[in-house]
Amino acid sequence: MGQKFRGAGVALITPFRKDSTIDFDALGDLVEDMISGGIDFLVVLGTTAETATLSAEEKKNVVDFVAEKNAGRLPIVVGAGGNNTQEVVEGLKNLDADKIDGILSVVPYYSKPTQEGIYQHFMQIAKYSPVPVILYNVPGRTGMHMDATTTIRLAEASDKFVAIKEASGDLNELAIILRDRPENFSVLSGDDGLTVPAISLGADGVISVIANGFPAQVADMVHSAVSGDFPKASAQHMQFLNLFNLLFVEGNPGGLKLH
């Protein structure tokens, strides 16, 4: 199942109108741009979608809309995480598994659980999720780093865990996961600026932010790297070098929306 989540994934933004309502016309255009640009899978309601600012009804409407617009063309992943394990589990019970292909679930934030606490949290998610789970390690946002040994422990404990979005920025940790991972467990870069280096170590792709603005270029860079054409991928990476920093000066996804 992890093979479904390889290559160039995109963490979709949520476009808003001036009155703070969701701009579904713009979101529809964005989905079409991602598909025509060669993106491999869509991630809805991630951090980049400003999910923390959306109501429960808005979240449902976004998922329903993207699923309808996509019409089965690309795999869809939906963000489904939090620091209240029971609340996450209850949300999973109400998930419409017919519309999506997987969930992206972040390490519990703010509470700063132990590695054992992280493990038990995700095992509950694996128990109740009706679809495959992509783990998400982003200590810069959660305040807690999920060790590579915990990632491997989870990957070996349940077939429900099919991939990890690794956004710790630590290539040594990523290399340990790549070395020890089970077969068919995908490793995805969570940092645009580390995508090509990560793939050079054996990673399977990226869940990208900047692909919202440059889908064809990001897809081509990732596909070049995954196919082993690192001279081409490295040259493409260098063309993005300034953007990797500039697009995040105002925070994610502020730079993209200004773009």
Side-chain angles (χ1 to χ4, degrees), residues 96-212:
D96 189 345
D98 293 332
K99 293 182 177 179
I100 67 172
D101 299 274
I103 63 169
L104 176 69
S105 198
V106 71
V107 170
Y109 44 80
Y110 188 76
S111 304
K112 301 185 73 173
T114 64
Q115 294 301 307
E116 181 63 24
I118 293 172
Y119 175 82
Q120 295 298 339
H121 171 84
F122 280 124
M123 289 303 293
Q124 285 296 301
I125 289 173
K127 181 178 179 180
Y128 290 99
S129 177
V131 293
V133 179
I134 301 175
L135 302 166
Y136 182 16
N137 184 37
V138 57
R141 288 188 179 272
T142 64
M144 192 66 199
H145 172 68
M146 181 166 66
D147 293 345
T149 52
T150 302
T151 299
I152 298 303
R153 184 184 175 197
L154 287 164
E156 292 177 341
S158 173
D159 292 338
K160 194 64 70 69
F161 301 117
V162 297
I164 182 169
K165 178 183 178 182
E166 177 54 51
S168 67
D170 188 334
L171 287 177
N172 187 59
E173 284 283 289
L174 182 137
I176 294 171
I177 297 170
L178 289 167
R179 182 192 66 190
D180 297 339
R181 63 176 169 170
E183 188 176 359
N184 295 327
F185 182 80
S186 294
V187 177
L188 303 164
S189 173
D191 296 297
D192 278 300
L194 293 179
T195 299
V196 173
I199 295 174
S200 74
L201 289 171
D204 302 288
V206 64
I207 295 179
S208 171
V209 173
I210 66 171
N212 282 278

Side-chain angles (χ1 to χ4, degrees), residues 32-51:
E32 291 297 339
D33 286 346
M34 298 305 107
I35 295 171
S36 63
I39 292 298
D40 297 299
F41 63 96
L42 306 173
V43 178
V44 186
L45 301 185
T47 306
T48 305
E50 299 175 88
T51 305

Side-chain angles (χ1 to χ4, degrees), residues 57-74:
E57 182 180 5
E58 286 174 324
K59 292 175 188 178
K60 181 182 184 303
N61 290 342
V62 167
V63 173
D64 290 346
F65 178 84
V66 172
E68 182 177 357
K69 189 70 176 178
N70 177 58
R73 288 176 287 177
L74 297 181

